[in-house]
Amino acid sequence: MKDCGAVRTAEAAKARTILKARPTFAGQYDGKAIVDAEHYDEFRKQFDGRKPDIVFAQWPIDKHRDHRALSNLLLDAWMESGKKAAFYYYDIAEDTMMFTPEEFVDITAVEARKRAACFAHASQQPEKWYPLEAELTRLHGAQSGYVARGGVFETLGE
């Protein structure tokens, strides 16, 4: 895609606004994530500058190489920072492999915001993959044992 970086950055800005999150850009490029000493150091500096209370990373056993790379960069930054924040992994429909959820969080109150943030990434064709995420969320609800209450659940794994 021509101007991929500009498009993806604008989409991330829109999603960030929806989620009320602060962005951090790690100098990585779509499909070309780099994991080496220089990038570990840069990622840790950004992480330390944020001082997060809680960290979410994609499960590192994943079909997408960028997901694996960024998960490793984030894990390393968290460990090097002294593990001061809570750290959780999450899964992604069709990409995540060998993930067994351990903790479940009711996202009923924020599911519409999650959906809107995902759809902010229009270049990624969310109309094709978001239904798979919705199905995964329903599965997690069933796994949690709370589905009878009508909640929508995400998983968090340590």
Side-chain angles (χ1 to χ4, degrees), residues 50-139:
R50 292 297 182 148
K51 297 178 179 51
D53 296 320
I54 188 166
V55 178
F56 297 95
Q58 292 157 313
W59 180 246
I61 304 173
D62 191 283
K63 292 178 186 176
H64 196 296
R65 64 175 52 160
D66 287 348
H67 297 175
R68 294 189 307 265
L70 294 174
S71 180
N72 283 319
L73 290 167
L74 187 53
L75 176 63
D76 186 78
W78 175 73
M79 289 189 309
E80 291 296 316
S81 75
K83 303 178 187 177
K84 295 174 186 163
F87 187 96
Y88 294 97
Y89 285 115
Y90 62 89
D91 55 343
I92 299 173
E94 287 199 330
D95 285 348
T96 301
M97 300 178 293
M98 302 183 323
F99 180 80
T100 303
E102 297 174 4
E103 296 184 44
F104 300 89
V105 177
D106 184 349
I107 64 162
T108 303
V110 296
E111 196 282 328
R113 189 175 349 158
K114 172 191 174 189
R115 185 180 196 286
C118 288
F119 273 82
H121 297 276
S123 71
Q124 301 304 294
Q125 302 176 317
E127 67 280 356
K128 291 184 179 179
W129 58 262
Y130 194 81
L132 299 172
E133 283 295 313
E135 185 59 35
L136 184 62
T137 300
R138 282 190 286 280
L139 170 65

